[in-house]
Amino acid sequence: MTAAKSCGILYVVATPIGNLDDFSARASRVLNEVDLIAAEDTRHSGQLLRAIGCTTPMISLHEHNEGRRVEELVSHLQDGKDVALISDAGTPLISDPGFALVRALIEKDIRVIPVPGACAVISALCVSALPTDRFMFEGFLPAKSGKRRDHLMQLRREPRTMVFYEAPHRIGDSLEELRQVFGDERNAVVCRELTKVHETIYRGTLKQLCELAATDANMSRGEIVIVLAGCECSEDVASTLQAEQVLEVLLQELPASQAAKLAAKLCKVDRAQMYELAVKSKAGR
Ligand code: SAM
């Protein structure tokens, strides 16, 4: 593609997350000009490439073969071939394969160029009407309820807007879990089927969204991003929240009274309040 160079270039190319019109002219040009496309699912991407008239050869690169493929792709690049990396939808490496490849290439001084475009995190965030000056992307939450809850507990005091990817069949349970951890009044946004025909954006408190999830079957259909407002709490509330986190950890090893006493001492909060929470938490386990 470019003359007089020893190594090829890896282009990390974003593809649409639903709406084909979001395919950029540059993405289309790069995919047509490279020697090889590494795609997460070659059959799925085949349809996309046909739509833009691209006949560049493809090989698969997915979570199960990325380790093996890295060497093969390094060798193509070292032979001077240009390669594009795409995933099934959106930006590669964002909850998608490609990290091991990019890291290996940088270590070998091989050039990596981004070709930016659609990404569900950013699309959801920019219509959420929640603060966008600072945010954190959490990807998919752990699938198992216990692990998910432990993970969410660690985010209770997070002041930045949080973005999660979620599977549609779990949306009701996840919203309920978010409500239990962050409270009824915390604002959130559920973005469904962004850029597609059935695009729907649900905004409200976690309590309102849980009620909606129970009555609107559409909420659990299609692809979903959850955007959650950060914590706006005062220092007092923040230290109680921290104490609750400490308490949860201690409760995994100690009886309620001992855990409550230690959490209260460590975080300088009320012991009786900790004990009440410890008893409730033990009962809910
Ligand atoms: N790399 C992709 C990106 O840039 O957004 C994400 C890939 S990840 C495997 C797929 C998840 O992204 C879906 O389960 C969903 O949470 C989110 N997602 C992708 N497309 C979406 C869309 N059109 N609307 C809402 N969420 C979407």
Side-chain angles (χ1 to χ4, degrees):
M1 200 178 147
T2 45
K5 59 169 195 248
S6 47
C7 269
I9 295 173
L10 176 80
Y11 294 87
V12 179
V13 181
T15 57
I17 55 168
N19 190 326
L20 268 190
D21 288 348
D22 292 335
F23 220 128
S24 77
R26 182 171 171 230
S28 176
R29 180 176 57 75
V30 167
L31 292 177
N32 272 295
E33 288 179 359
V34 291
D35 302 289
L36 184 66
I37 297 173
E40 189 180 0
D41 176 342
T42 52
R43 262 203 308 185
H44 175 95
S45 294
Q47 294 171 10
L48 186 74
L49 297 188
R50 271 193 294 282
I52 58 162
C54 173
T55 54
T56 306
M58 273 191 284
I59 59 164
S60 69
L61 181 137
H62 45 71
E63 58 175 327
H64 305 295
N65 73 355
E66 187 167 0
R68 270 185 288 134
R69 279 290 195 238
V70 168
E71 256 179 64
E72 200 178 329
L73 288 167
V74 165
S75 141
H76 281 303
L77 287 151
Q78 284 175 333
D79 285 347
K81 295 208 164 75
D82 287 318
V83 177
L85 171 70
I86 58 174
S87 61
D88 285 354
T91 303
L93 279 83
I94 306 301
S95 292
D96 269 341
F99 171 69
L101 176 64
V102 169
R103 177 160 277 190
L105 299 188
I106 297 305
E107 275 166 9
K108 293 187 185 318
D109 231 1
I110 296 175
R111 204 165 161 208
V112 179
I113 292 183
V115 181
C119 180
V121 189
I122 301 299
S123 308
L125 189 67
C126 67
V127 294
S128 68
L130 295 174
T132 53
D133 50 342
R134 295 191 311 149
F135 68 92
M136 64 190 285
F137 173 52
E138 281 290 303
F140 288 97
L141 285 167
K144 289 210 170 118
S145 170
K147 281 205 171 144
R148 198 159 65 215
R149 199 184 160 85
D150 288 348
H151 189 87
L152 291 175
M153 287 300 282
Q154 286 169 18
L155 298 174
R156 288 187 85 188
R157 292 174 62 201
E158 174 56 54
R160 291 170 290 183
T161 299
M162 289 160 268
V163 188
F164 306 92
Y165 281 167
E166 190 49 289
H169 65 276
R170 271 204 293 266
I171 184 69
D173 288 348
S174 285
L175 284 171
E176 184 53 36
E177 210 140 20
L178 288 171
R179 190 187 65 75
Q180 284 168 17
V181 173
F182 298 94
D184 284 351
E185 298 311 317
R186 182 74 71 94
N187 283 314
V189 182
V190 174
C191 299
R192 172 181 164 257
E193 294 287 87
L194 289 167
T195 78
K196 304 186 201 175
V197 178
H198 296 293
E199 177 178 281
T200 319
I201 298 173
Y202 305 86
R203 295 186 176 79
T205 62
L206 285 172
K207 183 165 186 266
Q208 290 166 335
L209 290 171
C210 284
E211 284 162 7
L212 258 177
T215 53
D216 183 347
N218 282 333
M219 205 198 258
S220 55
R221 294 196 179 112
E223 296 194 281
I224 288 169
V225 181
I226 304 175
V227 189
L228 179 70
C231 175
E232 288 176 9
C233 52
S234 68
E235 284 212 355
D236 270 3
V237 177
S239 62
T240 307
L241 288 175
Q242 189 187 23
E244 284 175 32
Q245 258 171 263
V246 170
L247 182 67
E248 282 293 323
V249 177
L250 293 173
L251 281 172
Q252 286 166 16
E253 308 291 336
L254 298 170
S257 60
Q258 242 177 311
K261 186 174 154 192
L262 277 176
K265 219 178 210 176
L266 284 168
C267 305
K268 300 186 176 58
V269 294
D270 183 52
R271 182 170 159 182
Q273 189 189 359
M274 285 297 105
Y275 183 65
E276 198 181 318
L277 282 171
V279 172
K280 265 194 206 151
S281 175
K282 283 268 185 202
R285 269 157 199 254

